[in-house]
Amino acid sequence: MMIGAAPGTANTPRAHITNMAALECLRDIGLDRDVEQVSSKGHCMVHTRWCHSMAGEEYARLYSWGNDLRRKGDYEMASPCQPADIPQTLLEPILIRHATHNKFQVRFDTVRTSFTKDEKTGQITATLRDKFSNLEYKINTKYLFGADGAQSQVVKQLDLPLERKPGQGLAINVLVKANLSHLVKHRKGNLHWVMQPDKEHPEFGWMGIVRTVKPWDEWMFILFPNRDCDPNIQATKEEYLERVQDFIGDDTPAEVLNVSKWFINEIVAERYSDGSYIHCLGDAVHRHPPMNGLGSNTCIQDAFNLAWKVAYVEKGIASPALLDTYNTERQPVGKSIITRANDAFRDHFHLWDAMGALPEKVEERRPIVDELASPSLQGEERRRRFRDVITQTSHEFHGLCIEMGQRYSGLGIYDADEPAPYSPSGKAADDPILHYDASTYPGCRLPHVWLNTSIPSEPLEVKLGRRQQRKLRVRGIEDSGAVLVRPDRFVAWRYPRTLADAEGCSEKLISVMKSVLGFKD
């Protein structure tokens, strides 16, 4: 059973960038075509821009999400999927429909008020309350999964320790209907940073991001208030609309559809689980800004990692000990992505400094803006700084390894046959955020490759093969070797070549399988 306190699926766009790792999870359960039908494709995500307004001067433009010709091949080699922009309002109904068609009971307007666990039997009893009728009832269950968001009550009741770093303030989402197609015809992109350091600004809207929701007539204007702004600040709908019009920069009609607030956090749970049968996932255990587009993507992969393990345990294929690897594998990923997302946000402070946006008074900001356009040596130096920090943001918009390069260790991985510890190779060794190292080393995501048969035919998309040169390089084994792949398409084990006899091969494989499935010898 799935329950949610909300009356239905998401009513505002929220998360939107869907990366290849998450799309592969959806592809695995047959939802890739459903997602493709409603998502904005790569041609709507070509650029990220920095500008004075949507209609005004453009300061800089950067290729994003695999659209840089210098990176396009990296993305195509990494996955059969392509990055997409699918707002949460469109993705959630697809997921709910799939769940109900596969016999999951779904209850909206339902709150879990508490739960208890019988220490002898392990049975969990959850008390639920229907918000419509105010009736309470109890559910007995073997498992409890807390995917209840940043205010997770499951995390609170379990008292899971949270690693918190100072937050980076308030942000305000203003959902807007406005046809801006004439402004993006020759500069298509789904993220547009708007900065007006030469002008006075309202306290609630120092600068912002104009984000595509539905090309090109629905947008999210994400406003960043002054750093010392009262988080309880209230502005009228008319004031928000006025700021939206400032950011648009011409007389295009606009309508404010919704306003909501959120906080820029840097929080990760130190552990995701309480025993083998209670697990938390998603925003409940990792909370961060949307930079790098890691939020919902990581949530989906949390669930994908946990789902096959639960299925294997319930079918008797694996030991319950396998469930403990969910925390071992996913908590380090959560910690890495909240750090990366916040580092990406901090990178923008250097950009704002170069733009002259940080001083409080407009009289102090204007000379810096003028210097940026000046033909003087000082102007040249400021422009160089500006270009350097724009280049640095490529770690946010082309961070392929932070998206695809997670590596697991622990019980669910068998690396005892490896001659040396894992070490990234090539460009990934120099920059483990930008560049993805495709490898069959145990714990890595299985590399992707397209194959053809030796006789002309339609290409096949598989995850392992022998006949193509690239696969010869990345497979990491000889022709007679083997790679053992988990249901989540991570490498559990590999062996370079076949052992001398069939009995030895059988014994080795059984030993490895017992290990990665949590059975003790």
Side-chain angles (χ1 to χ4, degrees), residues 109-143:
D109 274 321
T110 301
V111 179
R112 183 206 55 79
T113 59
S114 65
F115 68 88
T116 59
K117 180 180 177 182
D118 188 310
E119 296 301 329
K120 291 183 178 180
T121 65
Q123 180 175 277
I124 300 164
T125 301
T127 302
L128 310 181
R129 178 172 58 83
D130 182 280
K131 292 170 67 176
F132 184 74
S133 65
N134 212 34
L135 293 176
E136 286 195 351
Y137 55 99
K138 296 182 185 295
I139 296 288
N140 294 328
T141 180
K142 184 175 180 179
Y143 296 93

Side-chain angles (χ1 to χ4, degrees), residues 207-374:
M207 67 173 64
I209 304 172
V210 181
R211 168 200 142 188
T212 309
V213 176
K214 296 178 183 177
W216 302 106
D217 58 5
E218 191 171 313
W219 303 81
M220 184 70 81
F221 285 67
I222 305 170
L223 306 181
F224 296 103
N226 289 351
R227 284 161 291 171
D228 58 353
C229 178
D230 181 353
N232 297 312
I233 188 171
Q234 297 293 331
T236 66
K237 193 172 183 178
E238 290 72 25
E239 288 173 322
Y240 284 126
L241 180 59
E242 183 178 355
R243 192 57 173 152
V244 164
Q245 294 286 183
D246 285 342
F247 280 10
I248 293 174
D250 66 11
D251 58 0
T252 299
E255 177 188 359
V256 173
L257 303 177
N258 182 274
V259 178
S260 58
K261 296 179 180 178
W262 53 279
F263 290 91
I264 303 168
N265 291 315
E266 190 166 358
I267 300 172
V268 64
E270 294 180 11
R271 55 184 172 88
Y272 286 9
S273 306
D274 186 72
S276 296
Y277 298 101
I278 302 178
H279 305 278
C280 294
L281 56 160
D283 289 356
V285 286
H286 41 78
R287 307 163 197 174
H288 53 88
M291 279 61 192
N292 280 86
L294 297 171
S296 63
N297 294 296
T298 306
C299 300
I300 289 170
Q301 291 171 80
D302 285 346
F304 200 60
N305 179 283
L306 184 56
W308 76 268
K309 296 172 181 177
V310 172
Y312 269 38
V313 170
E314 287 303 294
K315 292 176 181 178
I317 299 172
S319 161
L322 180 65
L323 298 171
D324 298 335
T325 67
Y326 165 69
N327 175 73
T328 305
E329 294 176 356
R330 294 303 298 174
Q331 196 279 340
V333 173
K335 187 169 184 176
S336 70
I337 64 105
I338 67 124
T339 302
R340 166 84 290 264
N342 278 276
D343 283 348
F345 190 75
R346 284 185 279 266
D347 284 343
H348 285 275
F349 276 84
H350 301 298
L351 191 151
W352 302 334
D353 181 46
M355 280 291 301
L358 294 181
E360 291 185 10
K361 297 180 180 179
V362 69
E363 294 81 9
E364 297 173 353
R365 298 195 298 267
R366 281 175 180 156
I368 301 174
V369 175
D370 291 341
E371 184 179 81
L372 193 63
S374 167

